[in-house]
Amino acid sequence: MVSKKIILFMSLSVFFLMSGFDVIGHRGDPIKAPEETFESFNTAFSEGADYVELDLHVSKDNVLVVSHDKNLDRITGTSMVVSQQNFSTLSQLNQENGEPIHSLDQVFAHYKNNPRAKFLIETKKTKKGNPQNMEDLLKTSIDKYGMQHRVMFHSFSTKSLQNEAELMPDIPRIFIAGTTKRVNFDVLQYVTGVNLSSNIVTPDIINALHAMNKSVYVWDEMNESPSKWNTLVNMPIDGVVTNYPATGNEYRELKNQSQSEVLNQNVFYLGTKDEPIYENPYRLVKTKHEVHPLDGFHITNIIKFHGEEYVQLGENSFANAEGFNSDSALRELRPYFGAKAVFRGQEQNNYLYHDPRKKNSIVDRLEFNQPERILTVQKIGTQVWIKLPNGWINAKDVLIQLNPENYLGNDSEQSYYDLPAGQRFKNLDLLENNLYLRPSTDQHLKRAKLIRDFNSLNLTFPIKNDNNSINQI
């Protein structure tokens, strides 16, 4: 096959990769606590955030102040501009939960002995690059508290990132972009990654940046919807800056429990019932689309999650891998589609399996001489397995009754005779398919008549042998 099942089924040499990402609480958890307070940061860390994001301005007396806004009216109710006041004045202002405005030194001192507390620091600067001394002050604070391995930088300011590259080259630097027009080689030479708006990020952009050895983070506006995770989680992102760190961590944990592999291949779906297409394999949120019998797709990835395998059919489109087969196997497998299977062999060969790859997954037995419709066809290595109502069985252990009628767009009998004689399976049920043998010689006509006469006897005793070949009659 070509799904993961396809990969495993075809015994391809593939390795499924774990693919997680960093969760960064945007200003901590601003939904559950006032932004950029210890309460907000603690909440984000307790919810599984790897980093919390904070913003910096410089006070009149050259203190790095933690605040997104340069004017503190929105968060404190007092209209003061950070750059126009000394920190001693600013620190008298309280947020809604009673916490004062903090300096970066105070944040580092508070979390110094908590090695799990890490920070993504955004430098707020004017278009002219002011304040000019921000990066020097930042280096001094980082060195003072030994935070070199617990911080990353991001900024809209290319000048700030350039300064950081010169002063602190070993600390990751991420350029924030709300449009792809701002991402160019002049910027990329100073940074180790890019933080893209969720409105512009695509898998192709991520792959292109990864090819240049740049990490890719995603951010959203403060009105971020948690439902965006259904699609963001499908992309090969390195991290997210989110207002919902608990939700981000939940999806990260789900993704960490999965394994994925890139696989670009054309496939066909050989199941006889419509299957839903999901936004991702982790929450199985259905889209408005379905996979229909004999539909063809180009799959890009295979995801293994909680014992199930899913093929990625397109951006934010996933389906259960069962029934997907390589287009190169379609002609060989098509005679089984819409046909029936009947068992007339030795009892040890009539086991039905829950999973054809696991010999210990026996769930039932196929009743003797009771034809059952084939629901799904799967090529596993060189063998063909067929799914019946109660489980899977190897096609070689049953007799196949071709269907001469059009069934879901397929004539299994016609498909059988379209194959070269040497490629047709030999376990055709001649007792059922004698009317469709298309005899071309007198000898074949006599053999076909023999079979019809045999059937007319209406024998009721079991015939437990495998002597159903036309050459043996």
Side-chain angles (χ1 to χ4, degrees):
M1 281 186 61
V2 170
S3 81
K4 226 179 178 202
K5 291 184 168 180
I6 299 175
I7 293 183
L8 295 175
F9 288 175
M10 296 182 73
S11 298
L12 299 179
S13 297
V14 298
F15 300 91
F16 292 106
L17 307 174
M18 303 297 288
S19 53
F21 51 85
D22 286 333
V23 175
I24 302 168
H26 185 217
R27 310 180 200 174
D29 185 330
I31 307 301
K32 296 181 179 178
E35 65 186 58
E36 301 187 315
T37 60
F38 293 153
E39 181 185 3
S40 181
F41 294 160
N42 291 340
T43 301
F45 287 133
S46 71
E47 292 171 336
D50 302 286
Y51 291 79
V52 295
E53 190 255 4
L54 58 81
D55 307 274
L56 293 182
H57 291 276
V58 178
S59 68
K60 184 179 178 180
D61 55 345
N62 292 319
V63 174
L64 291 172
V65 179
V66 178
S67 172
H68 176 272
D69 301 351
K70 62 182 179 181
N71 189 316
L72 301 180
D73 181 57
R74 178 179 64 87
I75 59 173
T76 68
T78 300
S79 182
M80 283 190 185
V81 176
V82 173
S83 62
Q84 297 174 359
Q85 303 290 333
N86 289 331
F87 183 68
S88 58
T89 300
L90 299 174
S91 63
Q92 301 304 309
L93 304 179
N94 292 332
Q95 294 210 55
E96 185 179 346
N97 65 348
E99 279 191 47
I101 296 296
H102 299 301
S103 68
L104 183 63
D105 274 13
Q106 288 174 336
V107 171
F108 283 169
H110 186 83
Y111 290 101
K112 180 181 179 180
N113 296 323
N114 179 3
R116 292 184 62 254
K118 295 182 289 185
F119 303 90
L120 175 62
I121 299 171
E122 180 177 347
T123 50
K124 295 288 191 180
K125 301 186 67 143
T126 67
K127 292 182 180 180
K128 294 183 179 181
N130 293 319
Q132 299 289 336
N133 64 341
M134 177 175 277
E135 292 74 33
D136 289 308
L137 295 172
L138 185 53
K139 183 180 187 307
T140 299
S141 184
I142 290 171
D143 290 346
K144 178 180 179 181
Y145 292 94
M147 301 294 285
Q148 292 86 350
H149 301 294
R150 291 168 55 185
V151 296
M152 297 191 296
F153 306 135
H154 73 158
S155 184
F156 287 96
S157 170
T158 56
K159 181 60 177 174
S160 182
L161 293 165
Q162 184 177 357
N163 291 343
E164 289 162 349
E166 294 172 356
L167 291 170
M168 297 164 281
D170 295 330
I171 295 178
R173 300 168 305 280
I174 303 165
F175 178 61
I176 307 174
T179 171
T180 54
K181 294 179 180 179
R182 296 204 66 207
V183 182
N184 53 56
F185 288 106
D186 288 339
V187 172
L188 292 177
Q189 66 179 315
Y190 299 120
V191 301
T192 60
V194 178
N195 191 2
L196 299 175
S197 165
S198 64
N199 296 321
I200 64 172
V201 68
T202 68
D204 288 341
I205 291 175
I206 296 172
N207 292 334
L209 288 166
H210 280 168
M212 292 184 279
N213 295 318
K214 306 299 180 183
S215 57
V216 180
Y217 293 79
V218 180
W219 59 274
D220 200 75
E221 302 294 343
M222 285 298 288
N223 60 353
E224 170 192 352
S225 169
S227 65
K228 283 191 176 182
W229 282 100
N230 288 328
T231 55
L232 285 178
V233 76
N234 298 327
M235 300 183 191
I237 54 177
D238 298 292
V240 288
V241 183
T242 174
N243 303 310
Y244 298 89
T247 302
N249 184 56
E250 179 183 359
Y251 273 94
R252 188 255 305 274
E253 290 301 312
L254 290 172
K255 195 168 185 178
N256 280 343
Q257 294 169 29
S258 72
Q259 295 171 300
S260 65
E261 176 64 24
V262 175
L263 183 66
N264 291 307
Q265 190 165 358
N266 295 326
V267 298
F268 282 86
Y269 174 61
L270 291 181
T272 56
K273 66 174 184 176
D274 296 341
E275 286 291 331
I277 294 178
Y278 305 102
E279 289 186 354
N280 67 55
Y282 315 109
R283 279 286 177 254
L284 298 183
V285 176
K286 293 181 180 179
T287 68
K288 296 179 180 179
H289 306 288
E290 292 182 323
V291 175
H292 305 294
L294 299 178
D295 277 355
F297 297 92
H298 180 80
I299 65 170
T300 56
N301 291 282
I302 296 170
I303 308 294
K304 186 174 183 179
F305 181 68
H306 287 182
E308 295 291 333
E309 294 167 0
Y310 300 87
V311 290
Q312 184 167 5
L313 310 175
E315 190 172 339
N316 306 319
S317 297
F318 296 81
N320 192 290
E322 185 176 286
F324 285 90
N325 291 269
S326 168
D327 59 346
S328 63
L330 178 62
R331 194 178 182 202
E332 171 195 357
L333 301 180
R334 202 157 185 159
Y336 297 96
F337 186 87
K340 293 183 178 181
V342 62
F343 178 75
R344 298 200 191 100
Q346 301 299 319
E347 287 190 358
Q348 63 267 28
N349 295 326
N350 69 337
Y351 292 118
L352 294 171
Y353 296 87
H354 172 71
D355 186 335
R357 296 163 297 175
K358 298 178 181 178
K359 294 304 181 184
N360 61 348
S361 65
I362 295 173
V363 291
D364 205 346
R365 286 180 180 268
L366 181 59
E367 293 293 331
F368 186 82
N369 206 31
Q370 298 292 320
E372 294 190 5
R373 177 77 68 186
I374 296 173
L375 303 180
T376 308
V377 186
Q378 195 84 71
K379 185 83 176 285
I380 306 178
T382 60
Q383 297 184 331
V384 176
W385 283 76
I386 54 178
K387 188 176 186 180
L388 304 176
N390 292 329
W392 292 87
I393 193 168
N394 198 309
K396 68 179 177 59
D397 293 329
V398 295
L399 300 175
I400 304 300
Q401 298 179 353
L402 302 177
N403 181 10
E405 306 296 333
N406 186 300
Y407 182 78
L408 297 176
N410 185 63
D411 182 334
S412 69
E413 180 195 7
Q414 183 63 50
S415 299
Y416 179 82
Y417 286 106
D418 283 344
L419 287 170
Q423 295 180 19
R424 299 171 189 165
F425 49 75
K426 308 304 180 186
N427 52 326
L428 188 67
D429 183 14
L430 301 182
L431 296 180
E432 175 66 22
N433 293 112
N434 65 84
L435 295 178
Y436 318 115
L437 291 178
R438 303 181 183 182
S440 57
T441 65
D442 288 342
Q443 183 181 18
H444 288 163
L445 285 168
K446 290 177 182 178
R447 288 175 176 173
K449 183 177 184 301
L450 252 169
I451 297 171
R452 287 196 296 272
D453 291 342
F454 179 82
N455 286 343
S456 69
L457 296 176
N458 293 322
L459 298 177
T460 57
F461 56 86
I463 307 172
K464 295 196 177 183
N465 61 57
D466 213 10
N467 298 327
N468 294 306
S469 167
I470 187 70
N471 294 319
Q472 295 170 325
I473 290 183

